[in-house]
Amino acid sequence: MSKELLRNIPSVDEVLRSDELTRVRQVYSAALTADATRGALDGLRKDALSGARPDLSLSNIARLVEGRIEALLRPSVMRVVNATGTILHTNIGRAILSEEAQKAVARAGGSVNVELDLATGGRGERDAHVEALIKRLTGAEAACVVNNNAAAVLLTLNTCADGREVVISRGELIEIGGSFRLPEIIKKSGCILKEVGTTNRTHPKDYSGAVTDKTALLFKAHTSNYRVVGFTSGVSLKEIVRIGRNKGVPVVEDLGSGALVDLSSYGLPKEPLVSESIKDGADIVTFSGDKLLGGPQSGIIAGKKEFVDRIRSNPLKRALRADKLTIAGIEATLRLYLDPDKLVDRLPVLRHMTRGLPDIEGAAQKAKGLIKDALGTGYTVEVEDGESVVGGGSLPGHVIPTKVVAITHPTIKPEEIFRRFLGGTPPIIGRVNKDRFLLDLRTVEDAGDVVPG
Ligand SMILES: *Cc1c(COP(=O)(O)O)cnc(C)c1O
């Protein structure tokens, strides 16, 4: 049976010469068309061998060939609509860039003066585009930018403590998003981890007692994505700096999110400010550029000039440095902070965190009507109270009241509704919660964006 079918599969040449393939041949190159034809015929052969009865007509084969070429040419990275209720969603690219930053990134696609000193025409320094801004916004003496905060931590540890001991509280040995585990980063940096205290309590004497002539650093990590509650005690950065100064050991803090403005002035819980850590005496502070800061993926290293200079001249810096697109995007983002009054309007992360309920409800009501019309009968579409989170390891445990569009159907499972929205163009990313499919409008600027196409 399958032998007979196999014999009926036309040859590559036959398909390529066929009238059915005329249009494909006209639109796409010969190489692309031949390759897709081979692929389509291979697919049909496999189907036939597995006992299926594929349609072997030339018109169907032409359709398969065209489908293969289109799939090959379609961009894999595409716009999606974030209706998850998580403002900084790691799977969908964390911070949405401001318009200014998006423009700067697009501009940087061309030739830019990333390492060119326009005053002399000679070699420039890529960090120079952002260093003055970071110094101004954080009070640090010097700063540089790398690929992400994981790289910032790795580079800082490797520069300051290669082959020596790094003292850190057991309560701060964090894992972020599965692949960033502080104990592993410390090891990969060439350093020896020296844990002190216990999971829930660490005292100043734990740090001072751990310092020996092998100690290179006292390290403090912001426990970004979790909280230890109950019978706990930690040691403040200020206190660790006091101990470090006494013993002549530098102090590094990994702040994770690293806020540049006080979120409590916007009615949100306070996140530690980079400027406070600098003021409290940290020699180096590291933080992400694409969490609360609201820029492109990057890691910022800020602190004492002596240490930043050493970090900059570590050969690993070359391997971990930020590219021109990132430098342009982070520069444009940092520049927005120079005008705090307009920051909420311009910086999407902050705008979405502080967006008012009536505004979200208005968008949700509009979306409800549009979605009802698009889905047809049988679906129940309601606007309900919901909860958004900041995500990206920022403001753990804090929820922000929001309005969601809840969609249910008597026989269609919420996971199926989730997949239907996911399959749209662009894909609309909602979430399933307690047997309902939810779309959170907090991060959606245009209600029409959550209507499945
Ligand atoms: C997020 C985070 C990191 C990792 O930062 P990336 O920019 O994702 O590499 C490291 N440390 C802390 C405390 C974090 O919150």
Side-chain angles (χ1 to χ4, degrees):
M1 191 71 220
S2 65
K3 251 190 199 148
E4 159 102 39
L5 258 176
L6 284 174
R7 234 178 289 124
N8 287 338
I9 296 177
S11 70
V12 174
D13 274 346
E14 210 176 316
V15 175
L16 288 176
R17 272 186 274 110
S18 68
D19 290 342
E20 282 81 354
L21 219 69
T22 308
R23 203 167 55 86
V24 176
R25 273 197 313 264
Q26 282 167 354
V27 177
Y28 302 108
S29 76
L32 209 49
T33 308
D35 187 60
T37 302
R38 258 176 246 118
L41 294 178
D42 278 349
L44 290 171
R45 216 165 283 127
K46 275 197 199 106
D47 288 351
L49 282 171
S50 69
R53 292 199 54 92
D55 177 356
L56 299 179
S57 68
L58 284 166
S59 60
N60 184 54
I61 294 174
R63 233 191 342 267
L64 293 174
V65 170
E66 189 162 16
R68 278 182 169 261
I69 298 177
E70 280 171 358
L72 188 67
L73 297 180
R74 209 172 8 249
S76 172
V77 176
M78 60 170 97
R79 181 174 101 91
V80 302
V81 177
N82 178 11
T84 61
T86 301
I87 296 167
L88 296 166
H89 199 301
T90 300
N91 299 0
I92 49 187
R94 281 198 191 152
I96 296 177
L97 297 191
S98 65
E99 245 172 71
E100 290 82 355
Q102 293 192 27
K103 278 190 195 140
V105 170
R107 231 179 3 249
S111 291
V112 288
N113 57 328
V114 63
E115 279 191 6
L116 180 73
D117 183 343
L118 289 176
T120 64
R123 174 83 180 265
E125 172 57 58
R126 67 178 57 215
D127 289 323
H129 300 285
V130 290
E131 186 173 22
L133 286 164
I134 299 169
K135 281 160 66 175
R136 186 184 172 117
L137 293 166
T138 66
E141 286 174 13
C144 65
V145 182
V146 287
N147 186 48
N148 54 22
N149 187 36
V153 173
L154 181 86
L155 183 61
T156 301
L157 288 171
N158 179 263
T159 307
C160 305
D162 193 7
R164 300 174 64 209
E165 285 181 4
V166 174
V167 177
I168 179 169
S169 159
R170 283 205 167 83
E172 295 173 1
L173 289 171
I174 46 172
E175 169 178 315
I176 313 266
S179 53
F180 179 92
R181 298 177 123 193
L182 205 41
E184 288 167 10
I185 295 275
I186 291 174
K187 210 188 226 170
K188 284 286 177 194
S189 311
C191 312
I192 300 151
L193 171 63
K194 177 97 181 178
E195 301 172 42
V196 296
T198 60
T199 307
N200 57 328
R201 286 170 76 85
T202 301
H203 305 283
K205 65 176 190 302
D206 295 326
Y207 286 92
S208 47
V211 175
T212 66
D213 55 1
K214 296 193 202 89
T215 310
L217 275 186
L218 304 183
F219 192 92
K220 185 166 178 66
H222 181 45
T223 54
S224 298
N225 54 357
Y226 81 106
R227 264 204 196 128
V228 184
V229 292
F231 185 59
T232 66
S233 89
V235 183
S236 71
L237 176 68
K238 233 182 188 158
E239 182 70 9
I240 296 175
V241 167
R242 199 187 57 74
I243 296 164
R245 293 262 161 87
N246 258 338
K247 306 258 179 191
V249 178
V251 176
V252 170
E253 181 168 43
D254 171 17
L255 264 187
S257 282
L260 294 183
V261 289
D262 186 353
L263 294 182
S264 64
S265 66
Y266 297 97
L268 292 157
K270 180 159 174 148
E271 269 282 294
L273 287 166
V274 179
S275 56
E276 288 169 346
S277 296
I278 296 290
K279 200 163 122 246
D280 287 346
D283 294 289
I284 287 291
V285 181
T286 72
F287 51 101
S288 290
D290 56 337
K291 291 184 180 172
L292 288 178
L293 201 148
Q297 182 194 300
S298 50
I300 297 178
I301 300 170
K304 302 262 163 67
K305 184 166 185 308
E306 168 200 349
F307 293 98
V308 174
D309 283 346
R310 278 170 55 200
I311 287 167
R312 238 197 287 269
S313 54
N314 183 334
L316 267 181
K317 167 72 161 61
R318 178 65 168 74
L320 302 172
R321 73 182 186 183
D323 77 316
K324 63 175 178 174
L325 306 181
T326 304
I327 299 271
I330 200 78
E331 183 206 344
T333 307
L334 289 168
R335 234 170 254 295
L336 298 179
Y337 283 87
L338 298 179
D339 191 351
D341 294 346
K342 297 202 185 109
L343 195 60
V344 176
D345 290 331
R346 291 172 165 180
L347 195 70
V349 173
L350 196 54
R351 183 164 74 234
H352 292 157
M353 282 196 292
T354 57
R355 191 170 173 193
L357 265 186
D359 188 28
I360 301 173
E361 172 149 34
Q365 291 293 355
K366 192 169 161 202
K368 169 186 158 177
L370 296 168
I371 291 168
K372 249 187 172 154
D373 291 344
L375 290 179
T377 52
Y379 287 89
T380 305
V381 185
E382 295 295 347
V383 172
E384 297 177 4
D385 291 336
E387 289 174 343
S388 313
V389 295
V390 176
S394 307
L395 272 57
H398 179 70
V399 295
I400 310 174
T402 189
K403 293 286 176 183
V404 297
V405 177
I407 304 168
T408 52
H409 189 281
T411 56
I412 300 173
K413 287 203 176 78
E415 288 78 12
E416 246 174 274
I417 306 176
F418 171 88
R419 279 193 296 275
R420 170 162 179 191
F421 278 74
L422 185 67
T425 315
I428 298 160
I429 323 292
R431 71 178 199 274
V432 174
N433 183 273
K434 293 192 190 117
D435 282 337
R436 285 150 16 166
F437 175 67
L438 306 180
L439 295 165
D440 187 335
L441 271 286
R442 172 174 294 281
T443 49
V444 179
E445 310 253 347
D446 179 351
D449 281 352
V450 289
V451 183

